[in-house]
Amino acid sequence: MNLLCVNCVTAAPFPANQHLSSRAHNVPSRINAPSRAPASFDYRLRIRRGKKPLRFRVSNAAIETRRSLAASAGERQLSKPSAAMEQLDFERGVCVPFRKYSPETVRNTVLESRGAIVSLLSRGVEIVWSLGFYWSTLAYDYVIGRDEEVVSARARQLRNLLCDLGPSFIKAGQVLANRPDIIREDYMNELCILQDDVPPFPNQVAFDIIEEEMGRPLESVFSKISSQTIAAASLGQVYRATLRDSGEEVAIKVQRPQIEPIIYRDLFLFRTLASFLNGISLQKLGCNAELIVDEFGEKLLEELDYTLEARNIEDFLLNFEGDPTVKIPRVYKELCSSRVLVMEWIDGIRCTNPQAIKEAGIDVNGFLTVGVSAALRQLLEFGLFHGDPHPGNVFAMRDGRIAYVDFGNVAVLSQQNKQILIDAVVHAVNEDYVEMANDFTRLGFLAPGTDVSPIVPALESIWQNSVGKGLSDFNFRSVTGKFNQLVYNYPIRIPERFSLVIRSLLTQEGICFTLQPDFKFLEVAYPYVAKRLLTDPNPALRERLIQVLFKDGVFQWKRLENLIVLAKENVTKMSSNPAFQAVDTQGSRKLQFSRKLDLTDTIKDGARLFIFDEGIRRKLILALTEDSKLHIEELVDVYRLVEDQIDIPSVAVEVARDFPTVVRDLMLSWSESVLSDR
């Protein structure tokens, strides 16, 4: 397991097994707090996330919360996470000690509140009565044989029932809308409505919360605020306002009143009920039901804290820093709290209004290309991605950029998970379906030790049927539909973060089809992946490039040519976006460089591999002399593809600069081999 931890040492140190993890990358150093910390402090560790620094915070509030919880519940109990939470850590490749959610924290919070028993009993009766009556109608439909006839009506009834039961159930419905391993597709489609259609709460209540959190009247902060909500969601709603001091337009996100105790109470009841369903869940999904509730609870409590969302925005700003095609709103941290979030107003056109986008003269194809590339960068490069990119949260800017809002629901993929996803792509390209099935186990879809042999033929059938007609006819919805059938037939559980990945891809593909019905998602996605394989300096991706280029020990010349053509296509499409034209002269040099497929580092790494790796050297020599002939023609074809993309003088300078190092490494390698022979 690729655990990612930092030991946090304070004046009152935590137990040795307590670690603090960053978001998806190994952290080599320790953070040592001073012996006397101020009342409020914020440690920041800058590390490299690819080429971007990653910020890492340790707040005094979190430490004090941890100490108070330890005092009330006992250090031993809190330092030992539940088996379900340990499984989540194992699957993610990260450990998270300062969770807002844990079963123990929820239980202690609920049971220590005033009138807890009465509140739990009354809420339990309400839930059991409402859901019990609904399930009885489903059973009646099944008995009289009309269950298939009334599916749409029952799905609509379920959506209305979840709205009546409150924000926890609305959120649960939104999650179920992306869980084909739990409910059927027609119910999922109905529950998708919950993502956009939630009743708002009164304006005056919202304004009172804003004033309470900011500690001053609205008029002293904002010169103008909208009289109607701009959007309403399960946990909060949004207003548009103007800052009095600067005149800047902002969006204010306000949390629903008294929602936190309701959420904690419902999570306690959810997990109590789940404990009775573990046997069924293990049989159907290969995991206990408590794990599913823990995944849900962890994400829900994160969304409930708007200070975390503000940090998410900062991380996205950092990731896309210098990218002229993506707009992330600025956050006004001095005005934010756990219940109020103030961020820059995005003056763009929502993707819910495709006609307005077309009428604005925006290059739709260029905009969609930028959107797909931004989504793939989040998944495969940053490991931090927007978990809810529905059309209302995505904007088309008039200068060709794509903009995102609502960062409460984001998900993290560890370095390990990102590499496994890329492995799965490589295995799909190489048609290695046994390894694809093993990738499912490594990603947490299957329980460890599960026999994957029955799944291999199903995966082969799904993939070959989906791509058999070529990239132009491929779409994720058809693959997902077939995969849903596989989920019903095998003990497959879709981990929460990957349900968000699936939803993210499906939603963005849906936006593409809405704006341009003949848009080919994979015709943009494949060039991006090809460019990453050819140019990314990550050694792990270099290994995967070699796996792609060799099949059964034979070098794939045609595959290399296709990768280069696709990568050049990605560079051309991205650099032609109008957003590049709006960059100031300071950034023009960098952008001019990005208009070419820079293969300098790849060529240098390839040369080093040829010199030092005997296995690779043998394979390449065989590739050039296969079938007892020199494959000069193939080599020339490859050179013609890249000659306009390579700065020959620059490569020569780089090679000359590295020549002493190469000679030294070569001599060391030779001496080691001689000594080992003796």
Side-chain angles (χ1 to χ4, degrees):
M1 179 174 62
N2 181 24
L3 278 180
L4 144 75
C5 299
V6 175
N7 292 333
C8 183
V9 184
T10 64
F14 298 138
N17 67 329
Q18 290 296 320
H19 299 289
L20 189 59
S21 72
S22 107
R23 267 183 167 161
H25 296 266
N26 292 324
V27 183
S29 60
R30 294 191 175 198
I31 304 177
N32 292 306
S35 57
R36 292 186 179 181
S40 176
F41 62 88
D42 186 6
Y43 291 116
R44 300 190 180 198
L45 173 66
R46 308 273 298 187
I47 65 175
R48 303 300 293 175
R49 185 197 302 219
K51 295 184 179 179
K52 299 288 185 182
L54 172 68
R55 284 179 302 180
F56 179 87
R57 303 177 182 83
V58 184
S59 67
N60 202 29
I63 295 173
E64 291 304 322
T65 301
R66 170 71 174 74
R67 289 175 179 160
S68 64
L69 286 173
S72 63
E75 181 65 37
R76 182 179 177 185
Q77 180 186 27
L78 281 169
S79 64
K80 183 178 180 181
S82 68
M85 302 305 283
E86 287 179 340
Q87 183 174 340
L88 286 180
D89 284 344
F90 179 82
E91 291 173 1
R92 291 172 175 152
V94 298
C95 61
V96 185
F98 297 128
R99 282 190 169 94
K100 294 187 70 64
Y101 172 88
S102 74
E104 294 82 8
T105 303
V106 170
R107 182 175 65 247
N108 294 337
T109 302
V110 171
L111 295 182
E112 290 174 3
S113 61
R114 183 178 298 177
I117 303 301
V118 174
S119 176
L120 285 171
L121 285 175
S122 61
R123 180 61 168 170
V125 169
E126 179 187 8
I127 293 171
V128 170
W129 172 259
S130 301
L131 293 181
F133 180 77
Y134 177 74
W135 291 119
S136 66
T137 60
L138 295 180
Y140 176 75
D141 293 337
Y142 178 77
V143 169
I144 67 173
R146 67 169 190 178
D147 49 317
E148 293 297 329
E149 300 174 14
V150 296
V151 164
S152 59
R154 293 303 183 209
R156 188 164 53 253
Q157 183 182 351
L158 175 61
R159 174 171 59 83
N160 293 331
L161 173 62
L162 295 178
C163 282
D164 293 338
L165 286 173
S168 305
F169 285 84
I170 294 173
K171 203 68 191 175
Q174 293 173 348
V175 171
L176 288 173
N178 307 287
R179 296 302 297 259
D181 53 333
I182 299 177
I183 65 169
R184 51 190 287 173
E185 186 173 3
D186 34 26
Y187 279 80
M188 287 169 54
N189 294 335
E190 182 66 32
L191 293 179
C192 283
I193 299 174
L194 290 172
Q195 295 171 354
D196 300 304
D197 187 14
V198 179
F201 58 94
N203 287 344
Q204 191 55 51
V205 174
F207 297 158
D208 290 344
I209 292 174
I210 297 172
E211 290 186 337
E212 179 183 345
E213 292 296 306
M214 293 186 177
R216 42 184 167 160
L218 279 179
E219 296 78 12
S220 66
V221 182
F222 308 105
S223 60
K224 185 170 60 176
I225 189 168
S226 59
S227 59
Q228 298 296 326
T229 58
I230 304 300
S234 55
L235 303 183
Q237 57 196 37
V238 179
Y239 295 87
R240 182 176 183 175
T242 305
L243 292 177
R244 181 169 294 280
D245 291 342
S246 63
E248 295 171 292
E249 296 289 308
V250 296
I252 311 172
K253 187 175 179 179
V254 190
Q255 194 174 100
R256 289 181 179 272
Q258 301 300 318
I259 193 174
E260 188 167 328
I262 296 172
I263 296 291
Y264 273 89
R265 182 188 60 191
D266 287 350
L267 285 176
F268 178 80
L269 292 170
F270 287 169
R271 205 171 195 278
T272 303
L273 176 62
S275 65
F276 295 101
L277 302 175
N278 280 336
I280 298 174
S281 181
L282 281 168
Q283 181 182 2
K284 298 292 185 182
L285 303 175
C287 71
N288 61 44
E290 291 172 322
L291 176 63
I292 297 173
V293 173
D294 289 338
E295 285 182 312
F296 170 68
E298 190 170 32
K299 293 302 299 179
L300 183 54
L301 291 191
E302 286 179 5
E303 284 192 63
L304 207 59
D305 187 349
Y306 287 174
T307 60
L308 291 181
E309 182 170 353
R311 292 177 182 180
N312 291 339
I313 296 173
E314 288 186 323
D315 286 337
F316 272 81
L317 278 167
L318 194 63
N319 286 341
F320 285 107
E321 184 180 18
D323 188 334
T325 65
V326 179
K327 170 65 178 176
I328 306 296
R330 171 192 169 195
V331 63
Y332 296 81
K333 288 188 65 176
E334 67 279 5
L335 299 176
C336 297
S337 68
S338 61
R339 294 198 296 164
V340 174
L341 177 70
V342 181
M343 58 184 172
E344 178 185 357
W345 179 261
I346 296 296
D347 188 19
I349 305 172
R350 287 182 188 269
C351 288
T352 51
N353 192 352
Q355 188 59 37
I357 293 176
K358 294 171 184 175
E359 291 175 354
I362 296 172
D363 177 10
V364 174
N365 189 67
F367 169 72
L368 296 179
T369 299
V370 162
V372 173
S373 296
L376 293 172
R377 289 192 73 193
Q378 293 172 48
L379 284 174
L380 300 178
E381 185 177 338
F382 308 138
L384 177 69
F385 66 96
H386 198 299
D388 191 20
H390 65 75
N393 287 340
V394 181
F395 290 76
M397 308 296 284
R398 288 169 176 80
D399 59 5
R401 290 178 294 172
I402 187 171
Y404 296 95
V405 298
D406 193 355
F407 295 87
N409 189 0
V410 304
V412 178
L413 293 179
S414 68
Q415 184 70 22
Q416 180 187 34
N417 286 159
K418 289 189 295 179
Q419 290 181 2
I420 297 172
L421 281 178
I422 294 172
D423 280 345
V425 174
V426 171
H427 294 146
V429 171
N430 290 342
E431 299 181 351
D432 189 344
Y433 301 107
V434 174
E435 285 303 318
M436 279 183 70
N438 289 329
D439 292 335
F440 274 75
T441 303
R442 295 165 65 200
L443 291 170
F445 285 75
L446 294 165
T450 301
D451 180 16
V452 300
S453 55
I455 300 174
V456 172
L459 282 175
E460 183 175 359
S461 174
I462 290 173
W463 187 253
Q464 289 186 345
N465 289 339
S466 298
V467 300
K469 297 179 181 178
L471 297 183
S472 60
D473 295 316
F474 179 95
N475 67 78
F476 281 109
R477 188 160 298 280
S478 66
V479 174
T480 304
K482 293 170 184 174
F483 181 72
N484 292 351
Q485 298 171 10
L486 184 66
V487 166
Y488 286 123
N489 296 328
Y490 298 96
I492 295 175
R493 173 184 68 92
I494 302 179
E496 171 70 13
R497 62 199 176 284
F498 288 114
S499 74
L500 293 177
V501 171
I502 293 170
R503 177 172 73 176
S504 177
L505 292 173
L506 285 176
T507 303
Q508 294 186 71
E509 184 184 60
I511 293 173
C512 293
F513 289 158
T514 301
L515 293 175
Q516 189 170 312
D518 60 346
F519 185 78
K520 310 303 179 189
F521 193 92
L522 271 197
E523 288 186 358
V524 176
Y526 258 34
Y528 169 82
V529 174
K531 180 175 175 251
R532 279 214 71 199
L533 283 171
L534 286 172
T535 62
D536 198 295
N538 188 334
L541 281 179
R542 289 283 192 262
E543 278 185 42
R544 282 147 184 82
L545 175 60
I546 293 171
Q547 292 176 34
V548 169
L549 294 180
F550 285 94
K551 183 177 181 181
D552 300 326
V554 179
F555 191 81
Q556 305 295 304
W557 290 101
K558 193 64 180 175
R559 190 171 286 174
L560 175 58
E561 291 179 23
N562 289 339
L563 282 175
I564 294 171
V565 170
L566 288 170
K568 288 173 67 176
E569 181 183 330
N570 175 266
V571 172
T572 301
K573 283 186 176 180
M574 291 296 294
S575 61
S576 64
N577 188 279
F580 278 86
Q581 312 303 324
V583 181
D584 60 19
T585 55
Q586 289 184 343
S588 61
R589 183 178 178 183
K590 180 179 178 182
L591 291 176
Q592 184 65 33
F593 189 69
S594 70
R595 293 177 190 274
K596 287 189 175 184
L597 180 65
D598 182 19
L599 296 173
T600 304
D601 289 339
T602 308
I603 292 171
K604 286 169 56 182
D605 286 352
R608 293 180 71 88
L609 273 176
F610 184 83
I611 293 172
F612 294 110
D613 193 313
E614 184 179 352
I616 293 295
R617 185 165 62 249
R618 182 180 292 111
K619 286 181 178 180
L620 287 173
I621 292 173
L622 287 173
L624 288 169
T625 59
E626 189 182 358
D627 299 330
S628 301
K629 67 173 184 178
L630 287 175
H631 288 258
I632 301 300
E633 185 178 343
E634 288 88 343
L635 198 59
V636 170
D637 288 341
V638 170
Y639 175 74
R640 285 174 178 167
L641 285 173
V642 300
E643 63 178 335
D644 62 332
Q645 305 293 311
I646 301 175
D647 186 348
I648 300 296
S650 173
V651 173
V653 169
E654 292 284 343
V655 170
R657 185 182 301 159
D658 286 354
F659 185 73
T661 305
V662 171
V663 172
R664 184 195 64 185
D665 291 345
L666 189 59
M667 293 296 292
L668 287 172
S669 177
W670 174 77
S671 62
E672 285 177 4
S673 65
V674 170
L675 291 173
S676 64
D677 289 341
R678 291 185 178 181

